[in-house]
Amino acid sequence: MSPSKFNSAENTSNPPQENGIGDHVSLVNSGKAIQELAQEPLLHGTDDHLVEFSETLRTVAKTLRRVSEGKASALAEAAQWKRKYELERARNLHLERKGLLASSTVPSEGHHGKDQIKASRNFPDEYTRVDEIAVQLDKCCGRNDICSHEVLRCGSPDSDSNTSQSKLMKKASFKLSWCCNGDKSNQHKHDIVSFEMGDITTAERSSKQISLKWESPPQTVFILMKPNSESVKVLCSELIRWFKEEKRLNIFVEPRVRGELLSESSYYSFVQTWQEEKEIMDLHTKVDFVVTLGGDGTVLWAASLFKGPVPPIVPFSLGSLGFMTPFCSEHYREYLSTVLHGPISITLRNRLQCYVVRDSAKNEIDEREGPILVLNEVTIDRGISSFLTNLECYCDNIFVTSVQGDGLILSTTSGSTAYSLAAGGSMVHPQVPGILFTPICPHSLSFRPLILPEHVTIRVQVPFNSRGHAWASFDGKGRKQLGPGDALVCSMAPWPVPTACQSDSTSDFLRSIHDGLHWNLRKMQASDGPRET
């Protein structure tokens, strides 16, 4: 599963070939040989050393397979960069030709003009070969990517003909494109990076609040409430009557809630729900927005029901401690009327997409368990074992560190004020894109938390020599056991959870840490007045 520190021996019988193909074939042959040796059944009565040697051979076989795949990927990337170099060279030659054509069309007296026109007709063959490529390159300007093809001249455009014939000052051209692991992304973010006259600038994305405006009036609302609370049940009944009688909305609830409502009165027969679990997959196509009555746990439950796109969530605070519930239930009519009318400020809360890959899996993509979406964090701990957790962590297949301690937390920025904060992690604004990497009671004083960018893929693997198993939990539930060789793969999910704000995302976040955590609350230092100097 994971990269190993073993190095395969060189195969001297095969001569080296161009582009490393011979090395690639030798790696594949070595991997097959070691894999066949590792799969041979052990003899009866073998000791622990042979078992450990067999597991080591299995690890080496997997490592050689990854090395061969990386070799092929490197060759493909080299070919791609070669093609980019040729296109860039063709573009520069095309620009030079344009500059010579511009200078040849300047009127002059005598035979100078004729000589220039004659020279313009006799370009080297190197210029004529790139005409077709240059036309294709010109089409990329003004599209999704960000290009620079400017040629800066000396002097002002109003200069005389002598200045126009002077030597051109060329600015190196370049192109910025959004990519992840070498592949271009289909999502082009024009509002993040802009280009003008060779300077790269970033737009003020972090200072802009996100606003939601309805293009058509909402028709359907999904109400989720905290269970085992009589006060919440009374508020839910009142809210359903208000939505139906005054706002004329269609109402969805959970099957359990609908049963409780019908046991009280047949009036609630118009309330809709689902019969089978597979109908939840299409719930986002029927619901315009969601109202949660409870605390942060109710918001987590609402997010877990949607495995894909999530409708906007309006969270009301009816719990003990809430960082994602800014609305007060006493004024629900005023708040919900504002939401229905729009526009409203929202916070896009990123989620993690997690997969469990077993050691017995032959294909990491087809034979993995998941996806499992989490809004707060995924935790890998030692469970009931008395041994330290031993985990190997990789970021985009690059080894990060080995975790020895009670476990590891991979948290979103929305979950930065939850388990990650209790384990020593930092509080992060929920709209900051990133993944928090926080150890739990590490067996090293220098192991400090990290914040990784949003586009990375993190793999946490239990090594084969681990003394015990590890356990993974997702937002505090769905616990899964990880044995030696098993791995947990996490990346940023493409579907965030939009939650409505009372004022804006920054004000709500600061208010939550002040009111919920009493952040930096202390008595002011006594002052005796200004001292005379």
Side-chain angles (χ1 to χ4, degrees):
M1 298 289 293
S2 64
S4 177
K5 297 182 180 179
F6 293 98
N7 296 324
S8 59
E10 295 182 356
N11 189 359
T12 57
S13 61
N14 295 328
Q17 300 181 15
E18 187 179 359
N19 294 332
I21 298 179
D23 296 338
H24 177 66
V25 174
S26 63
L27 285 174
V28 174
N29 295 334
S30 302
K32 291 181 179 179
I34 295 179
Q35 187 174 6
E36 292 176 359
L37 182 61
Q39 292 178 353
E40 291 183 359
L42 296 175
L43 299 176
H44 182 70
T46 55
D47 54 7
D48 295 338
H49 296 288
L50 292 179
V51 175
E52 184 177 358
F53 179 70
S54 177
E55 293 177 351
T56 304
L57 288 179
R58 189 185 299 113
T59 305
V60 173
K62 292 182 179 180
T63 304
L64 290 176
R65 182 182 62 188
R66 288 186 176 277
V67 170
S68 62
E69 293 175 355
K71 192 79 172 180
S73 177
L75 292 175
E77 185 178 0
Q80 183 179 4
W81 278 108
K82 182 179 179 181
R83 180 176 177 273
K84 289 182 178 181
Y85 168 76
E86 293 175 353
L87 292 177
E88 189 69 22
R89 183 171 176 270
R91 180 192 297 120
N92 293 334
L93 292 175
H94 182 66
L95 292 175
E96 291 181 4
R97 179 179 180 180
K98 284 185 178 180
L100 293 175
L101 282 174
S103 62
S104 65
T105 56
V106 177
S108 58
E109 298 179 357
H111 298 282
H112 298 284
K114 295 181 180 180
D115 295 339
Q116 291 176 354
I117 295 175
K118 183 178 179 181
S120 65
R121 294 176 180 175
N122 296 324
F123 285 109
D125 296 337
E126 192 174 14
Y127 291 150
T128 59
R129 286 196 301 266
V130 301
D131 285 344
E132 184 177 352
I133 300 177
V135 172
Q136 181 181 0
L137 291 173
D138 288 341
K139 295 181 180 179
C140 70
C141 300
R143 288 194 176 184
N144 294 327
D145 293 334
I146 306 167
C147 307
S148 165
H149 294 160
E150 277 77 9
V151 178
L152 304 181
R153 298 176 180 269
C154 295
S156 61
D158 296 334
S159 303
D160 53 9
S161 59
N162 294 329
T163 306
S164 62
Q165 296 178 0
S166 61
K167 187 178 180 180
L168 298 178
M169 291 182 59
K170 298 179 183 178
K171 186 173 180 60
S173 60
F174 59 85
K175 180 170 66 174
L176 301 181
S177 60
W178 297 97
C179 61
C180 183
N181 295 333
D183 298 329
K184 285 189 177 181
S185 174
N186 294 327
Q187 183 180 7
H188 300 276
K189 306 175 182 179
H190 301 280
D191 58 337
I192 298 178
V193 174
S194 60
F195 174 82
E196 184 177 2
M197 293 301 294
D199 297 326
I200 301 175
T201 59
T202 56
E204 298 178 357
R205 181 185 65 165
S206 59
S207 62
K208 293 181 180 179
Q209 301 296 334
I210 303 175
S211 179
L212 184 146
K213 183 178 181 180
W214 302 106
E215 295 183 354
S216 60
Q219 301 293 329
T220 306
V221 58
F222 181 28
I223 302 178
L224 280 172
M225 71 174 192
K226 180 176 65 174
N228 305 322
S229 177
E230 291 298 328
S231 60
V232 176
K233 187 183 300 183
V234 172
L235 178 61
C236 181
S237 302
E238 183 180 349
L239 188 59
I240 290 175
R241 288 179 177 270
W242 183 76
F243 273 133
K244 181 64 176 178
E245 297 175 0
E246 296 191 20
K247 299 301 179 180
R248 307 299 181 183
L249 296 181
N250 301 319
I251 301 171
F252 267 85
V253 295
E254 295 180 275
R256 172 187 57 84
V257 177
R258 188 175 188 274
E260 294 176 358
L261 293 173
L262 291 178
S263 63
E264 294 180 0
S265 173
S266 60
Y267 168 80
Y268 300 102
S269 59
F270 61 86
V271 177
Q272 305 179 47
T273 187
W274 58 86
Q275 301 297 330
E276 300 179 359
E277 293 295 329
K278 62 180 181 180
E279 298 180 21
I280 303 179
M281 302 299 296
D282 300 328
L283 191 59
H284 69 278
T285 62
K286 305 175 183 178
V287 174
D288 294 323
F289 68 102
V290 182
V291 174
T292 61
L293 306 176
D296 287 351
T298 310
V299 178
L300 294 176
W301 174 246
S304 65
L305 292 178
F306 297 92
K307 307 304 180 183
V310 184
I313 297 178
V314 184
F316 284 89
S317 178
L318 292 168
S320 57
L321 182 64
F323 295 93
M324 295 184 287
T325 54
F327 294 100
C328 182
S329 60
E330 284 79 6
H331 307 284
Y332 72 87
R333 289 182 175 87
E334 177 185 351
Y335 292 140
L336 290 175
S337 297
T338 303
V339 170
L340 292 173
H341 184 268
I344 58 173
S345 296
I346 62 172
T347 300
L348 291 180
R349 302 181 181 273
N350 293 318
R351 292 189 291 178
L352 291 179
Q353 185 173 254
C354 306
Y355 295 93
V356 176
V357 183
R358 301 298 179 182
D359 175 52
S360 58
K362 298 180 180 180
N363 191 325
E364 291 187 5
I365 299 179
D366 298 334
E367 300 183 16
R368 57 186 180 182
E369 303 174 11
I372 306 171
L373 299 177
V374 296
L375 180 56
N376 266 358
E377 75 279 313
V378 53
T379 305
I380 306 100
D381 55 52
R382 61 183 183 178
I384 61 175
S385 175
S386 59
F387 298 108
L388 292 177
T389 300
N390 189 9
L391 303 172
E392 294 179 352
C393 303
Y394 301 86
C395 179
D396 287 341
N397 293 326
I398 301 174
F399 179 73
V400 179
T401 187
S402 294
V403 178
Q404 289 186 327
D406 285 350
L408 177 68
I409 301 172
L410 300 178
S411 171
T412 64
T413 51
S414 294
S416 64
T417 53
Y419 196 1
S420 176
L421 179 63
S426 177
M427 293 186 293
V428 186
H429 193 288
Q431 285 191 187
V432 175
I435 303 176
L436 279 69
F437 187 91
T438 308
I440 306 174
C441 298
H443 202 254
S444 173
L445 295 178
S446 61
F447 195 171
R448 309 307 302 162
L450 296 176
I451 300 178
L452 300 172
E454 60 175 335
H455 60 80
V456 302
T457 299
I458 301 175
R459 187 173 81 254
V460 181
Q461 180 175 348
V462 181
F464 289 101
N465 60 352
S466 177
R467 294 185 177 182
H469 294 77
W471 293 83
S473 59
F474 310 89
D475 277 342
K477 57 182 183 296
R479 202 162 174 81
K480 290 182 177 291
Q481 185 179 15
L482 302 178
D486 296 344
L488 179 70
V489 180
C490 296
S491 60
M492 195 69 73
W495 307 284
V497 178
T499 58
C501 303
Q502 184 177 356
S503 54
D504 56 70
S505 60
T506 302
S507 298
D508 290 358
F509 172 69
L510 295 178
R511 186 187 307 113
S512 66
I513 63 176
H514 280 294
D515 297 342
L517 295 177
H518 305 291
W519 179 62
N520 198 26
L521 182 63
R522 64 179 297 273
K523 292 182 179 180
M524 295 299 297
Q525 184 177 6
S527 176
D528 297 331
R531 296 181 179 180
E532 297 181 358
T533 57

